[in-house]
Amino acid sequence: MHIGQLIRKQMEEQGKTVSWLARELSYCRTNIYKIFDKKSIDTGLLLRISVLLHHDFFQDYSQEWRGKCPR
């Protein structure tokens, strides 16, 4: 899973812009693009993004883990 790409995809599906997310997080747009490049992300930041986008990115991680967990 590439969390940055997942965040970008979710934003696009919701019609949200980079400028919108930057304003909401009090980040510059450059830092939002850096988030999109990340394969992993700080959990505090991920929680903030999850709330803003009304999407549980932690569940996405859990589903990936379940898919790799031997039964």
Side-chain angles (χ1 to χ4, degrees):
M1 168 191 289
H2 190 291
I3 193 64
Q5 293 300 317
L6 197 59
I7 292 168
R8 174 179 244 160
K9 181 176 181 251
Q10 190 59 227
M11 280 182 52
E12 289 172 355
E13 288 176 4
Q14 293 184 25
K16 305 288 188 191
T17 65
V18 171
S19 295
W20 173 83
L21 187 59
R23 272 192 314 274
E24 294 296 315
L25 293 174
S26 298
Y27 280 22
C28 66
R29 290 178 61 224
T30 302
N31 286 340
I32 301 302
Y33 287 111
K34 287 179 182 177
I35 289 171
F36 294 158
D37 290 336
K38 292 184 178 285
K39 289 185 179 181
S40 64
I41 190 171
D42 174 78
T43 55
L45 178 56
L46 187 59
L47 178 59
R48 290 175 64 200
I49 293 170
S50 293
V51 169
L52 289 170
L53 293 177
H54 306 286
H55 181 87
D56 187 352
F57 291 100
F58 294 95
Q59 184 176 359
D60 295 331
Y61 271 119
S62 293
Q63 288 175 348
E64 180 178 316
W65 176 77
R66 284 186 197 114
K68 292 180 180 179
C69 185
R71 302 201 181 240

Short mmCIF file of all heavy atoms in Angstrom, two decimals, residues 1-53:
data_model
loop_
_atom_site.label_atom_id
_atom_site.label_comp_id
_atom_site.label_asym_id
_atom_site.label_seq_id
_atom_site.Cartn_x
_atom_site.Cartn_y
_atom_site.Cartn_z
N MET A 1 0.84 -1.18 0.00
CA MET A 1 0.00 0.00 0.00
C MET A 1 0.89 1.24 0.00
O MET A 1 1.87 1.31 0.71
CB MET A 1 -0.90 0.01 1.24
CG MET A 1 -1.58 1.33 1.44
SD MET A 1 -2.39 1.54 3.02
CE MET A 1 -3.75 0.44 2.81
N HIS A 2 0.52 2.19 -0.79
CA HIS A 2 1.23 3.47 -0.85
C HIS A 2 0.25 4.52 -0.32
O HIS A 2 -0.64 4.97 -1.04
CB HIS A 2 1.63 3.77 -2.29
CG HIS A 2 2.55 4.92 -2.44
ND1 HIS A 2 2.15 6.22 -2.20
CD2 HIS A 2 3.85 4.98 -2.79
CE1 HIS A 2 3.17 7.03 -2.41
NE2 HIS A 2 4.22 6.30 -2.78
N ILE A 3 0.39 4.88 0.94
CA ILE A 3 -0.59 5.74 1.61
C ILE A 3 -0.73 7.10 0.94
O ILE A 3 -1.84 7.63 0.83
CB ILE A 3 -0.28 5.87 3.12
CG1 ILE A 3 -1.47 6.49 3.86
CG2 ILE A 3 1.00 6.64 3.36
CD1 ILE A 3 -2.71 5.68 3.83
N GLY A 4 0.37 7.66 0.47
CA GLY A 4 0.29 8.96 -0.19
C GLY A 4 -0.59 8.93 -1.43
O GLY A 4 -1.41 9.83 -1.66
N GLN A 5 -0.44 7.87 -2.22
CA GLN A 5 -1.26 7.73 -3.42
C GLN A 5 -2.72 7.48 -3.06
O GLN A 5 -3.63 7.95 -3.75
CB GLN A 5 -0.72 6.60 -4.30
CG GLN A 5 0.64 6.90 -4.89
CD GLN A 5 0.62 8.14 -5.77
OE1 GLN A 5 -0.30 8.34 -6.56
NE2 GLN A 5 1.62 8.99 -5.62
N LEU A 6 -2.94 6.75 -1.97
CA LEU A 6 -4.31 6.49 -1.51
C LEU A 6 -4.99 7.79 -1.08
O LEU A 6 -6.17 8.02 -1.39
CB LEU A 6 -4.28 5.48 -0.36
CG LEU A 6 -5.56 4.78 -0.02
CD1 LEU A 6 -6.09 4.00 -1.19
CD2 LEU A 6 -5.32 3.84 1.16
N ILE A 7 -4.25 8.64 -0.39
CA ILE A 7 -4.80 9.94 0.03
C ILE A 7 -5.12 10.78 -1.20
O ILE A 7 -6.21 11.36 -1.30
CB ILE A 7 -3.80 10.67 0.95
CG1 ILE A 7 -3.68 9.93 2.30
CG2 ILE A 7 -4.21 12.14 1.16
CD1 ILE A 7 -2.52 10.39 3.16
N ARG A 8 -4.22 10.82 -2.15
CA ARG A 8 -4.45 11.60 -3.37
C ARG A 8 -5.69 11.09 -4.11
O ARG A 8 -6.53 11.87 -4.55
CB ARG A 8 -3.23 11.51 -4.29
CG ARG A 8 -3.47 12.18 -5.62
CD ARG A 8 -2.26 12.10 -6.51
NE ARG A 8 -1.82 13.46 -6.71
CZ ARG A 8 -0.64 13.83 -7.09
NH1 ARG A 8 0.27 12.94 -7.31
NH2 ARG A 8 -0.34 15.08 -7.26
N LYS A 9 -5.82 9.78 -4.23
CA LYS A 9 -6.96 9.18 -4.92
C LYS A 9 -8.27 9.54 -4.22
O LYS A 9 -9.25 9.91 -4.86
CB LYS A 9 -6.79 7.66 -4.97
CG LYS A 9 -7.90 6.93 -5.68
CD LYS A 9 -7.59 5.44 -5.77
CE LYS A 9 -8.69 4.73 -6.49
NZ LYS A 9 -9.49 3.89 -5.62
N GLN A 10 -8.28 9.45 -2.90
CA GLN A 10 -9.48 9.77 -2.13
C GLN A 10 -9.85 11.25 -2.31
O GLN A 10 -11.03 11.58 -2.47
CB GLN A 10 -9.26 9.44 -0.66
CG GLN A 10 -10.49 9.51 0.18
CD GLN A 10 -11.59 8.58 -0.26
OE1 GLN A 10 -12.74 9.00 -0.36
NE2 GLN A 10 -11.27 7.34 -0.55
N MET A 11 -8.86 12.11 -2.31
CA MET A 11 -9.12 13.54 -2.53
C MET A 11 -9.73 13.77 -3.90
O MET A 11 -10.71 14.52 -4.02
CB MET A 11 -7.81 14.34 -2.43
CG MET A 11 -7.36 14.63 -1.04
SD MET A 11 -5.85 15.62 -1.04
CE MET A 11 -6.27 16.97 -2.12
N GLU A 12 -9.16 13.15 -4.91
CA GLU A 12 -9.66 13.32 -6.27
C GLU A 12 -11.09 12.82 -6.40
O GLU A 12 -11.92 13.46 -7.03
CB GLU A 12 -8.74 12.61 -7.26
CG GLU A 12 -7.40 13.30 -7.43
CD GLU A 12 -6.40 12.50 -8.25
OE1 GLU A 12 -6.69 11.35 -8.64
OE2 GLU A 12 -5.30 13.05 -8.49
N GLU A 13 -11.38 11.67 -5.78
CA GLU A 13 -12.73 11.12 -5.83
C GLU A 13 -13.74 12.06 -5.17
O GLU A 13 -14.90 12.10 -5.57
CB GLU A 13 -12.78 9.74 -5.15
CG GLU A 13 -12.11 8.66 -5.96
CD GLU A 13 -12.07 7.31 -5.24
OE1 GLU A 13 -12.64 7.20 -4.13
OE2 GLU A 13 -11.46 6.38 -5.80
N GLN A 14 -13.29 12.80 -4.16
CA GLN A 14 -14.17 13.72 -3.45
C GLN A 14 -14.18 15.12 -4.07
O GLN A 14 -14.91 16.00 -3.61
CB GLN A 14 -13.75 13.82 -1.98
CG GLN A 14 -13.96 12.54 -1.21
CD GLN A 14 -13.63 12.70 0.26
OE1 GLN A 14 -13.69 13.79 0.82
NE2 GLN A 14 -13.29 11.60 0.91
N GLY A 15 -13.36 15.32 -5.09
CA GLY A 15 -13.30 16.62 -5.73
C GLY A 15 -12.57 17.68 -4.89
O GLY A 15 -12.78 18.87 -5.09
N LYS A 16 -11.75 17.22 -3.96
CA LYS A 16 -10.97 18.14 -3.11
C LYS A 16 -9.67 18.50 -3.82
O LYS A 16 -9.11 17.70 -4.56
CB LYS A 16 -10.64 17.50 -1.77
CG LYS A 16 -11.84 16.99 -0.99
CD LYS A 16 -12.65 18.11 -0.42
CE LYS A 16 -13.71 17.55 0.51
NZ LYS A 16 -14.69 18.49 0.91
N THR A 17 -9.18 19.70 -3.57
CA THR A 17 -7.94 20.15 -4.21
C THR A 17 -6.77 20.13 -3.23
O THR A 17 -6.96 20.06 -2.01
CB THR A 17 -8.10 21.59 -4.73
OG1 THR A 17 -8.29 22.46 -3.60
CG2 THR A 17 -9.27 21.71 -5.69
N VAL A 18 -5.59 20.20 -3.79
CA VAL A 18 -4.37 20.29 -2.97
C VAL A 18 -4.42 21.56 -2.13
O VAL A 18 -4.07 21.55 -0.94
CB VAL A 18 -3.12 20.26 -3.87
CG1 VAL A 18 -1.87 20.58 -3.07
CG2 VAL A 18 -3.00 18.90 -4.54
N SER A 19 -4.90 22.63 -2.71
CA SER A 19 -5.00 23.90 -1.97
C SER A 19 -5.94 23.76 -0.78
O SER A 19 -5.67 24.29 0.30
CB SER A 19 -5.50 25.01 -2.89
OG SER A 19 -4.56 25.27 -3.89
N TRP A 20 -7.05 23.06 -0.98
CA TRP A 20 -8.00 22.84 0.12
C TRP A 20 -7.33 22.09 1.27
O TRP A 20 -7.43 22.51 2.43
CB TRP A 20 -9.23 22.06 -0.39
CG TRP A 20 -10.15 21.66 0.72
CD1 TRP A 20 -11.13 22.44 1.29
CD2 TRP A 20 -10.16 20.42 1.42
NE1 TRP A 20 -11.75 21.75 2.31
CE2 TRP A 20 -11.17 20.50 2.41
CE3 TRP A 20 -9.42 19.25 1.33
CZ2 TRP A 20 -11.46 19.46 3.28
CZ3 TRP A 20 -9.70 18.22 2.19
CH2 TRP A 20 -10.70 18.31 3.16
N LEU A 21 -6.66 20.98 0.96
CA LEU A 21 -6.02 20.18 2.01
C LEU A 21 -4.91 20.98 2.70
O LEU A 21 -4.77 20.93 3.92
CB LEU A 21 -5.47 18.87 1.46
CG LEU A 21 -4.93 17.89 2.49
CD1 LEU A 21 -5.99 17.50 3.52
CD2 LEU A 21 -4.37 16.64 1.82
N ALA A 22 -4.16 21.73 1.93
CA ALA A 22 -3.10 22.56 2.49
C ALA A 22 -3.68 23.57 3.49
O ALA A 22 -3.15 23.74 4.59
CB ALA A 22 -2.34 23.28 1.39
N ARG A 23 -4.78 24.21 3.12
CA ARG A 23 -5.42 25.17 4.03
C ARG A 23 -5.91 24.48 5.30
O ARG A 23 -5.70 24.97 6.41
CB ARG A 23 -6.61 25.84 3.35
CG ARG A 23 -6.30 27.07 2.59
CD ARG A 23 -7.56 27.84 2.19
NE ARG A 23 -8.63 27.00 1.64
CZ ARG A 23 -8.73 26.66 0.37
NH1 ARG A 23 -7.83 27.04 -0.51
NH2 ARG A 23 -9.74 25.92 -0.04
N GLU A 24 -6.55 23.34 5.14
CA GLU A 24 -7.12 22.62 6.29
C GLU A 24 -6.05 22.14 7.26
O GLU A 24 -6.28 22.10 8.47
CB GLU A 24 -7.97 21.43 5.81
CG GLU A 24 -9.21 21.82 5.04
CD GLU A 24 -10.20 22.60 5.88
OE1 GLU A 24 -10.45 22.21 7.03
OE2 GLU A 24 -10.72 23.62 5.36
N LEU A 25 -4.90 21.77 6.74
CA LEU A 25 -3.80 21.27 7.58
C LEU A 25 -2.83 22.37 7.99
O LEU A 25 -1.90 22.12 8.76
CB LEU A 25 -3.02 20.17 6.84
CG LEU A 25 -3.76 18.87 6.57
CD1 LEU A 25 -2.91 17.95 5.71
CD2 LEU A 25 -4.14 18.17 7.88
N SER A 26 -3.03 23.57 7.46
CA SER A 26 -2.09 24.69 7.67
C SER A 26 -0.70 24.31 7.17
O SER A 26 0.31 24.55 7.84
CB SER A 26 -2.05 25.09 9.15
OG SER A 26 -3.30 25.55 9.58
N TYR A 27 -0.66 23.70 6.00
CA TYR A 27 0.58 23.32 5.33
C TYR A 27 0.68 24.13 4.05
O TYR A 27 -0.33 24.63 3.53
CB TYR A 27 0.54 21.84 4.92
CG TYR A 27 0.84 20.84 6.00
CD1 TYR A 27 0.70 21.12 7.34
CD2 TYR A 27 1.25 19.56 5.66
CE1 TYR A 27 0.97 20.17 8.31
CE2 TYR A 27 1.53 18.60 6.62
CZ TYR A 27 1.38 18.91 7.95
OH TYR A 27 1.65 17.98 8.90
N CYS A 28 1.88 24.20 3.49
CA CYS A 28 2.01 24.77 2.15
C CYS A 28 1.72 23.64 1.14
O CYS A 28 1.81 22.46 1.47
CB CYS A 28 3.38 25.40 1.94
SG CYS A 28 4.74 24.24 1.96
N ARG A 29 1.36 24.03 -0.05
CA ARG A 29 1.02 23.04 -1.08
C ARG A 29 2.17 22.08 -1.34
O ARG A 29 1.95 20.89 -1.59
CB ARG A 29 0.60 23.75 -2.36
CG ARG A 29 -0.73 24.46 -2.22
CD ARG A 29 -1.17 25.21 -3.46
NE ARG A 29 -1.32 24.29 -4.56
CZ ARG A 29 -0.88 24.53 -5.80
NH1 ARG A 29 -0.26 25.64 -6.09
NH2 ARG A 29 -1.05 23.65 -6.74
N THR A 30 3.40 22.58 -1.26
CA THR A 30 4.57 21.73 -1.49
C THR A 30 4.58 20.55 -0.54
O THR A 30 4.90 19.43 -0.93
CB THR A 30 5.87 22.55 -1.33
OG1 THR A 30 5.83 23.65 -2.25
CG2 THR A 30 7.10 21.71 -1.58
N ASN A 31 4.22 20.79 0.72
CA ASN A 31 4.21 19.70 1.69
C ASN A 31 3.11 18.68 1.42
O ASN A 31 3.26 17.50 1.72
CB ASN A 31 4.09 20.25 3.11
CG ASN A 31 5.38 20.88 3.58
OD1 ASN A 31 6.45 20.60 3.04
ND2 ASN A 31 5.30 21.74 4.56
N ILE A 32 2.02 19.12 0.84
CA ILE A 32 0.95 18.18 0.47
C ILE A 32 1.46 17.25 -0.63
O ILE A 32 1.25 16.03 -0.57
CB ILE A 32 -0.32 18.93 0.02
CG1 ILE A 32 -0.85 19.84 1.13
CG2 ILE A 32 -1.39 17.94 -0.45
CD1 ILE A 32 -1.18 19.15 2.44
N TYR A 33 2.16 17.81 -1.60
CA TYR A 33 2.72 16.97 -2.66
C TYR A 33 3.75 15.99 -2.09
O TYR A 33 3.85 14.85 -2.57
CB TYR A 33 3.33 17.82 -3.78
CG TYR A 33 2.28 18.49 -4.62
CD1 TYR A 33 2.09 19.87 -4.57
CD2 TYR A 33 1.46 17.75 -5.48
CE1 TYR A 33 1.13 20.49 -5.35
CE2 TYR A 33 0.50 18.36 -6.24
CZ TYR A 33 0.33 19.73 -6.18
OH TYR A 33 -0.64 20.33 -6.95
N LYS A 34 4.47 16.39 -1.07
CA LYS A 34 5.42 15.49 -0.42
C LYS A 34 4.68 14.35 0.28
O LYS A 34 5.15 13.20 0.28
CB LYS A 34 6.28 16.24 0.59
CG LYS A 34 7.31 17.14 -0.07
CD LYS A 34 8.13 17.90 0.96
CE LYS A 34 9.11 18.84 0.28
NZ LYS A 34 9.87 19.64 1.26
N ILE A 35 3.52 14.64 0.87
CA ILE A 35 2.70 13.59 1.49
C ILE A 35 2.30 12.56 0.43
O ILE A 35 2.35 11.35 0.67
CB ILE A 35 1.45 14.18 2.17
CG1 ILE A 35 1.86 14.96 3.43
CG2 ILE A 35 0.44 13.09 2.52
CD1 ILE A 35 0.73 15.77 4.05
N PHE A 36 1.92 13.03 -0.75
CA PHE A 36 1.51 12.12 -1.83
C PHE A 36 2.64 11.17 -2.23
O PHE A 36 2.38 10.07 -2.72
CB PHE A 36 1.06 12.90 -3.06
CG PHE A 36 -0.19 13.71 -2.88
CD1 PHE A 36 -0.45 14.78 -3.71
CD2 PHE A 36 -1.12 13.42 -1.89
CE1 PHE A 36 -1.60 15.54 -3.59
CE2 PHE A 36 -2.27 14.17 -1.73
CZ PHE A 36 -2.51 15.24 -2.58
N ASP A 37 3.88 11.58 -2.03
CA ASP A 37 5.03 10.74 -2.38
C ASP A 37 5.40 9.72 -1.31
O ASP A 37 6.20 8.83 -1.56
CB ASP A 37 6.26 11.62 -2.66
CG ASP A 37 6.13 12.41 -3.94
OD1 ASP A 37 5.36 11.98 -4.84
OD2 ASP A 37 6.79 13.46 -4.05
N LYS A 38 4.80 9.84 -0.13
CA LYS A 38 5.18 8.98 1.00
C LYS A 38 4.51 7.61 0.94
O LYS A 38 3.34 7.48 0.65
CB LYS A 38 4.84 9.65 2.32
CG LYS A 38 5.67 10.88 2.59
CD LYS A 38 5.34 11.44 3.96
CE LYS A 38 6.21 12.62 4.28
NZ LYS A 38 7.56 12.27 4.62
N LYS A 39 5.31 6.59 1.28
CA LYS A 39 4.77 5.23 1.39
C LYS A 39 4.25 4.98 2.81
O LYS A 39 3.46 4.07 3.04
CB LYS A 39 5.83 4.20 1.05
CG LYS A 39 6.17 4.18 -0.42
CD LYS A 39 7.13 3.07 -0.74
CE LYS A 39 7.44 3.06 -2.23
NZ LYS A 39 8.37 2.00 -2.58
N SER A 40 4.71 5.78 3.77
CA SER A 40 4.22 5.69 5.14
C SER A 40 4.07 7.11 5.68
O SER A 40 4.64 8.06 5.12
CB SER A 40 5.17 4.88 6.02
OG SER A 40 6.43 5.51 6.12
N ILE A 41 3.30 7.25 6.75
CA ILE A 41 2.97 8.58 7.25
C ILE A 41 2.78 8.51 8.77
O ILE A 41 2.36 7.47 9.30
CB ILE A 41 1.70 9.09 6.53
CG1 ILE A 41 1.45 10.56 6.82
CG2 ILE A 41 0.51 8.26 6.84
CD1 ILE A 41 0.34 11.15 5.96
N ASP A 42 3.08 9.60 9.44
CA ASP A 42 2.87 9.71 10.88
C ASP A 42 1.40 9.47 11.20
O ASP A 42 0.52 10.00 10.51
CB ASP A 42 3.31 11.12 11.33
CG ASP A 42 3.00 11.37 12.77
OD1 ASP A 42 3.75 10.89 13.63
OD2 ASP A 42 1.98 12.05 13.04
N THR A 43 1.11 8.71 12.24
CA THR A 43 -0.28 8.37 12.55
C THR A 43 -1.11 9.59 12.95
O THR A 43 -2.30 9.65 12.65
CB THR A 43 -0.37 7.30 13.64
OG1 THR A 43 0.35 7.73 14.80
CG2 THR A 43 0.17 5.97 13.15
N GLY A 44 -0.49 10.57 13.61
CA GLY A 44 -1.22 11.78 13.98
C GLY A 44 -1.68 12.53 12.75
O GLY A 44 -2.83 13.01 12.67
N LEU A 45 -0.80 12.66 11.77
CA LEU A 45 -1.16 13.33 10.52
C LEU A 45 -2.20 12.51 9.76
O LEU A 45 -3.16 13.07 9.22
CB LEU A 45 0.09 13.55 9.66
CG LEU A 45 -0.14 14.19 8.30
CD1 LEU A 45 -0.85 15.54 8.42
CD2 LEU A 45 1.19 14.32 7.56
N LEU A 46 -2.04 11.21 9.75
CA LEU A 46 -3.01 10.36 9.06
C LEU A 46 -4.39 10.48 9.68
O LEU A 46 -5.40 10.51 8.98
CB LEU A 46 -2.55 8.90 9.05
CG LEU A 46 -3.39 7.95 8.22
CD1 LEU A 46 -3.43 8.39 6.76
CD2 LEU A 46 -2.86 6.53 8.34
N LEU A 47 -4.45 10.60 10.99
CA LEU A 47 -5.73 10.78 11.66
C LEU A 47 -6.38 12.10 11.25
O LEU A 47 -7.57 12.15 10.93
CB LEU A 47 -5.56 10.74 13.19
CG LEU A 47 -6.83 10.97 14.00
CD1 LEU A 47 -7.89 9.94 13.67
CD2 LEU A 47 -6.49 10.95 15.49
N ARG A 48 -5.60 13.16 11.20
CA ARG A 48 -6.13 14.47 10.79
C ARG A 48 -6.68 14.41 9.36
O ARG A 48 -7.76 14.92 9.08
CB ARG A 48 -5.04 15.53 10.88
CG ARG A 48 -4.65 15.87 12.30
CD ARG A 48 -3.50 16.85 12.38
NE ARG A 48 -3.86 18.14 11.80
CZ ARG A 48 -2.98 19.04 11.40
NH1 ARG A 48 -1.67 18.79 11.51
NH2 ARG A 48 -3.37 20.18 10.89
N ILE A 49 -5.93 13.76 8.47
CA ILE A 49 -6.36 13.64 7.08
C ILE A 49 -7.62 12.77 6.99
O ILE A 49 -8.55 13.07 6.25
CB ILE A 49 -5.23 13.09 6.20
CG1 ILE A 49 -4.09 14.12 6.13
CG2 ILE A 49 -5.73 12.75 4.80
CD1 ILE A 49 -2.81 13.61 5.49
N SER A 50 -7.67 11.70 7.78
CA SER A 50 -8.84 10.82 7.80
C SER A 50 -10.09 11.60 8.20
O SER A 50 -11.15 11.45 7.59
CB SER A 50 -8.63 9.67 8.79
OG SER A 50 -7.62 8.80 8.35
N VAL A 51 -9.97 12.44 9.21
CA VAL A 51 -11.11 13.23 9.67
C VAL A 51 -11.53 14.23 8.59
O VAL A 51 -12.72 14.36 8.29
CB VAL A 51 -10.76 13.95 11.00
CG1 VAL A 51 -11.82 14.99 11.35
CG2 VAL A 51 -10.60 12.94 12.13
N LEU A 52 -10.57 14.90 8.00
CA LEU A 52 -10.88 15.90 6.97
C LEU A 52 -11.56 15.28 5.76
O LEU A 52 -12.48 15.86 5.18
CB LEU A 52 -9.61 16.63 6.53
CG LEU A 52 -9.01 17.59 7.54
CD1 LEU A 52 -7.63 18.04 7.08
CD2 LEU A 52 -9.93 18.78 7.76
N LEU A 53 -11.11 14.10 5.36
CA LEU A 53 -11.65 13.45 4.17
C LEU A 53 -12.78 12.47 4.47
O LEU A 53 -13.33 11.85 3.57
CB LEU A 53 -10.52 12.74 3.39
CG LEU A 53 -9.48 13.65 2.77
CD1 LEU A 53 -8.39 12.83 2.11
CD2 LEU A 53 -10.11 14.59 1.75
#
